Amino acid sequence: LEQISAPTARDEFDTAGEGARVAVVDTGIDPDHPAHQSFDPDNFAEFTLDAEEVDTDPRDPDDHGTHVSGTILGDRAPDATGTEREIGVAPGAELLSAKVFSRFDGQTSATTAQVVAGIEWAVNNNADVINQSLGSVVSEESVYDEFYLEVMRDTLAAGVLPVASAGNNGQGLTGSPGNVRESFSIAANNEQFNLADFSSGEQVYTETAWGNNAPDDYPSFYTVPDVSGPGVGVLSSVAGGGYAELSGTSMSAPHVAGTAGLVLSVLQDPSPQTVQSIIEETAVHPDGPAVEDTEFGVGVINALGAL
């Protein structure tokens, strides 16, 4: 939080993200966690592998969704030892939680249909920002999912900012939705402002990546990620009431989603493009003023600068 100047931004501009609605499309939420006592259970939806919505109470059988949600808007709360923890960028924002992952054969995974159902639910429930700390399974080659291409364009056209992890496959490999041009794609840096060794990024050549599916307004190539955020050893809430340090672009994306929530709270109904532009224009590249690159994008976000 200190690295992106979130506490100072909240104090200087007297906002904690009030009025912003941030959706987390992930493994769910532990509503009984002390950092999530303000969560409204009516803001929860769960989807099966074939995108059927089911009537269940809020839950997170994993830890991932609760951790991501904590970074975006977790409340200040004591841990088991009584030590007060401050984990959320925009604790005044409202959480929408879509559980789109299932466990089978001991693994937690999601179908594209599940994820897209969660995104659609978030859009239909008036989310301002959707955090997607998820992505295609990538091995030796980047994955460009044409289904996400359409969904990300539709999400942005609906007036919702789609924040997505760039991926944890290192340089030269990316997956969808983080490599779709309309996604606000997020890299991960460490405490010293160095790029995390796992953080994905590449130059996406439109014809090679998308072929005949490429929209007419796409340039011949573009860069992912767009910006970077803290993603190494990030402390946040986990299911069961505890706290843990996790690493990944899954952890950096919610820092950006939370910052978007702060920006939304001080502007009068801005477009998602405006919110993204503000965050990009105030990001700071560790190597000084530079053109966008495949490591940090235009730089590390700064919530104070954005506000």
Side-chain angles (χ1 to χ4, degrees):
L1 298 185
E2 292 290 349
Q3 186 181 71
I4 67 169
S5 300
T8 305
R10 294 196 302 258
D11 291 344
E12 289 288 328
F13 290 88
D14 192 26
T15 182
E18 291 81 3
R21 290 167 66 87
V22 183
V24 175
V25 178
D26 213 294
T27 64
I29 181 73
D30 176 5
D32 299 320
H33 195 288
H36 300 288
Q37 293 291 319
S38 60
F39 177 68
D40 183 349
D42 290 337
N43 287 351
F44 178 82
E46 180 174 346
F47 297 90
T48 64
L49 293 169
D50 55 358
E52 294 283 339
E53 185 173 357
V54 292
D55 185 13
T56 57
D57 293 329
R59 63 194 185 97
D60 181 8
D62 200 79
D63 284 324
H64 198 272
T66 299
H67 195 280
V68 167
S69 300
T71 297
I72 297 172
L73 43 67
D75 296 324
R76 188 193 296 263
D79 63 14
T81 68
T83 303
E84 193 169 67
R85 299 295 189 182
E86 183 180 4
I87 57 173
V89 175
E94 183 176 4
L95 173 64
L96 304 176
S97 178
K99 182 181 179 298
V100 300
F101 282 80
S102 301
R103 283 190 67 82
F104 53 93
D105 294 334
Q107 300 293 320
T108 299
S109 60
T111 63
T112 301
Q114 263 180 307
V115 175
V116 173
I119 293 169
E120 184 178 40
W121 172 84
V123 171
N124 290 338
N125 281 272
N126 302 313
D128 298 305
V129 182
I130 299 177
N131 188 88
Q132 302 160 93
S133 288
L134 47 81
S136 309
V137 177
V138 177
S139 55
E140 296 180 356
E141 295 183 350
S142 295
V143 176
Y144 308 100
D145 191 328
E146 62 188 68
F147 205 65
Y148 278 120
L149 180 69
E150 181 178 356
V151 171
M152 291 301 97
R153 288 175 68 84
D154 288 348
T155 300
L156 196 61
V160 183
L161 180 63
V163 176
S165 298
N168 302 329
N169 304 289
Q171 291 292 292
L173 292 172
T174 62
S176 301
N179 59 13
V180 176
R181 186 168 179 246
E182 284 75 13
S183 292
F184 195 5
S185 182
I186 316 303
N189 57 266
N190 65 16
E191 191 174 0
Q192 289 76 39
F193 290 92
N194 296 320
L195 187 73
D197 57 7
F198 54 76
S199 190
S200 294
E202 68 173 335
Q203 292 279 6
V204 178
Y205 292 92
T206 298
E207 185 175 352
T208 302
W210 303 110
N212 294 332
N213 297 308
D216 292 338
D217 59 351
Y218 265 32
S220 58
F221 68 90
Y222 58 93
T223 303
V224 291
D226 295 304
V227 294
S228 183
V232 178
V234 175
L235 181 76
S236 188
S237 49
V238 291
Y243 294 84
E245 291 185 3
L246 298 179
S247 299
T249 54
S250 283
M251 284 63 252
S252 56
H255 283 90
V256 179
T259 300
L262 293 178
V263 173
L264 281 156
S265 73
V266 298
L267 291 180
Q268 194 69 32
D269 196 25
S271 70
Q273 292 89 342
T274 296
V275 175
Q276 179 170 340
S277 293
I278 288 169
I279 295 173
E280 288 182 343
E281 289 169 10
T282 54
V284 179
H285 200 288
D287 298 328
V291 296
E292 184 175 21
D293 62 33
T294 63
E295 296 185 340
F296 297 94
V298 294
V300 179
I301 62 165
N302 184 289
L304 178 61
L307 290 191

